[in-house]
Amino acid sequence: LSRLERVDGDLELNEFHVLPDLSGLRSLRQVTGTFHVTEAHALVNFTGLDSLEDVGVLWFSANDGIRNLKGLS
């Protein structure tokens, strides 16, 4: 995933309980549909989304470990 730059359509990351950040998506620049992250309980911030420039809809829900918005600008 580290080379993924664009998703045409939706990108859903659901129920992952181990990753503390999204660094594997560091090259992602665009999601044309909905980017949905839900129930990522180990996720503490959004590091890895620094390159993200364009998203149709950004939706985060039920991520109870989020401490800050680092990685989103």
Side-chain angles (χ1 to χ4, degrees), residues 10-62:
D10 298 337
L11 175 59
E12 294 189 23
L13 303 176
N14 299 315
E15 297 183 32
F16 61 96
H17 306 285
V18 188
L19 300 175
D21 62 41
L22 299 170
S23 59
L25 296 173
R26 65 184 159 272
S27 296
L28 185 63
R29 298 173 58 90
Q30 183 179 33
V31 178
T32 63
T34 299
F35 183 12
H36 185 195
V37 180
T38 185
E39 295 187 40
H41 300 292
L43 193 65
V44 296
N45 61 43
F46 302 101
T47 297
L49 297 182
D50 306 275
S51 297
L52 191 61
E53 298 173 351
D54 185 30
V55 178
V57 175
L58 185 59
W59 182 4
F60 295 105
S61 62

